[in-house]
Amino acid sequence: ELVESGGGSVQAGESLRLSCAASERTFSSYAAAWFRQTPGKEREFVAVISWTGDKTDYADSVKGRFMISRDNVKNTMTLVMNNLEPEDTANYFCALKYYKESRYDHDYDYWSQGTQVTVSS
């Protein structure tokens, strides 16, 4: 089970921090990712971190503004979102994929319930 926290409403240029706690005992064996989705659109890749934590990958739209991290002792993952833009408004999901990281949502095994992020201009 993945439980998210940290969504909310902010002004453009502000920051938010999303957290995701995993009950999965083998969390450290999974790549961890964030995706987002807006109504009527497909789920979009945001960022991923390898199971070891030494590799990260970001969507071009968030590169340089968002940062993904994980703590394999606490079984948590975090997405720090800086300089938010109205285009970042979406429902954000955390997800786990066994072993190798991927940008494709259909590769992921576990999903959170989603948390809304709203950025106003």
Side-chain angles (χ1 to χ4, degrees), residues 68-79:
I68 188 172
S69 61
R70 67 186 296 159
D71 185 329
N72 285 345
V73 174
K74 296 181 178 179
N75 284 6
T76 59
M77 57 190 289
T78 300
L79 183 70

Side-chain angles (χ1 to χ4, degrees), residues 104-115:
Y104 302 103
D105 58 354
H106 60 259
D107 287 336
Y108 283 77
D109 304 302
Y110 300 102
W111 290 87
S112 67
Q113 77 285 359
T115 188

Side-chain angles (χ1 to χ4, degrees), residues 2-14:
L2 298 175
V3 179
E4 282 187 85
S5 60
S9 297
V10 297
Q11 297 287 322
E14 294 183 342

